[in-house]
Amino acid sequence: EIFMAQRLATEYVNATMQMTDVQMDQFLQYTQAFRVTNRVKVMDSGEQEFVLEDESGEEVHLPFERKNGLYVCELSCRLVTPHLTNAVRKLFAAFKGSGRVNRIYRGFTMSYDYHAGTVHRITQIAGSDSIVIYEYKNTAGELQRLFNSNEAEKEIESIQYHINVLLDQRIAAGNDKHITQTIDERLRRFNQRLFVLEA
């Protein structure tokens, strides 16, 4: 069931981040704040590649090329460990990344389309079926406000707490179909809200 979903992997597909010199300095400071090993490789062409590695040995390579006075990182990778996944998610949001991010679960994928750090669409894909569960409306936007505060983190914690309570109630309900259907519907609603908040 979707509400029991555990993320298997996260993919960045043709994603990009662009930075000025000042932002590049901030990026370096930001990467050092995570509990990940970080090293810089300078290529023959003069381009730089940042390598982030967590304690499990999983790595992500962030190559930066100089284009029109900006540092441009083109990112296509697949991440599995939660710690490194979270670090890259925070970098991507902080430095206003664009592109597609697929969060892969058993049986389905949540696909997020970002433009300059804002989620424009979230699609749930299972086999050949796809359902758009969020579409950005060109306003100040609920998501933008959430990104700029800690409200999202607080709401995520609250929803996770409610999901745990509901799962306990579901076990206690046993074979009572009416109660389990009501609980399942509430779990599905909480779950869809989580997918939007975790963008």
Side-chain angles (χ1 to χ4, degrees):
E1 282 290 351
I2 276 181
F3 54 76
M4 298 287 283
Q6 185 179 4
R7 193 180 308 166
L8 303 177
T10 301
E11 284 180 339
Y12 286 79
V13 184
N14 299 326
T16 57
M17 292 184 284
Q18 296 188 1
M19 296 172 207
T20 62
D21 290 319
V22 172
Q23 287 173 319
M24 190 55 152
D25 288 340
Q26 291 170 339
F27 178 83
L28 287 171
Q29 288 167 9
Y30 210 68
T31 57
Q32 285 159 5
F34 298 119
R35 294 190 313 277
V36 291
T37 309
N38 110 37
R39 59 185 191 275
V40 183
K41 291 161 126 179
V42 179
M43 312 309 233
D44 293 340
S45 59
E47 291 169 15
Q48 298 180 68
E49 183 174 271
F50 294 90
V51 182
L52 304 182
E53 182 182 350
D54 76 356
E55 63 274 6
S56 74
E58 184 173 36
E59 290 183 347
V60 61
H61 293 248
L62 305 170
F64 281 89
E65 198 179 333
R66 198 83 166 137
K67 284 184 187 171
N68 304 323
L70 293 171
Y71 290 98
V72 180
C73 173
E74 294 188 358
L75 179 63
S76 288
C77 66
R78 183 182 174 99
L79 300 167
V80 176
T81 58
H83 190 63
L84 194 57
T85 301
N86 200 35
V88 175
R89 178 182 69 83
K90 286 182 175 175
L91 286 169
F92 195 70
F95 294 95
K96 304 198 180 314
S98 296
R100 176 162 294 175
V101 181
N102 294 325
R103 295 190 170 106
I104 300 161
Y105 299 84
R106 196 177 307 286
F108 69 102
T109 295
M110 300 301 291
S111 186
Y112 296 72
D113 289 315
Y114 285 85
H115 181 69
T118 301
V119 176
H120 277 232
R121 179 180 293 161
I122 303 173
T123 310
Q124 181 179 314
I125 303 161
S128 58
D129 298 329
S130 66
I131 306 163
V132 174
I133 66 165
Y134 173 83
E135 196 133 24
Y136 177 76
K137 303 291 183 279
N138 196 15
T139 63
E142 173 196 21
L143 274 179
Q144 197 56 47
R145 283 202 307 279
L146 287 167
F147 277 137
N148 294 337
S149 69
N150 290 322
E151 292 305 307
E153 298 295 330
K154 287 182 195 158
E155 192 176 344
I156 286 169
E157 282 176 23
S158 167
I159 288 174
Q160 286 171 339
Y161 168 78
H162 281 101
I163 285 174
N164 286 334
V165 169
L166 285 169
L167 289 172
D168 288 343
Q169 287 174 0
R170 198 179 189 283
I171 291 164
N175 293 324
D176 189 323
K177 281 272 194 303
H178 178 68
I179 293 176
T180 57
Q181 280 174 353
T182 305
I183 289 172
D184 287 354
E185 186 49 42
R186 289 189 65 200
L187 283 165
R188 264 188 282 278
R189 282 203 299 272
F190 275 134
N191 189 65
Q192 291 223 320
R193 182 73 184 138
L194 265 186
F195 286 130
V196 173
L197 288 168
E198 288 181 331

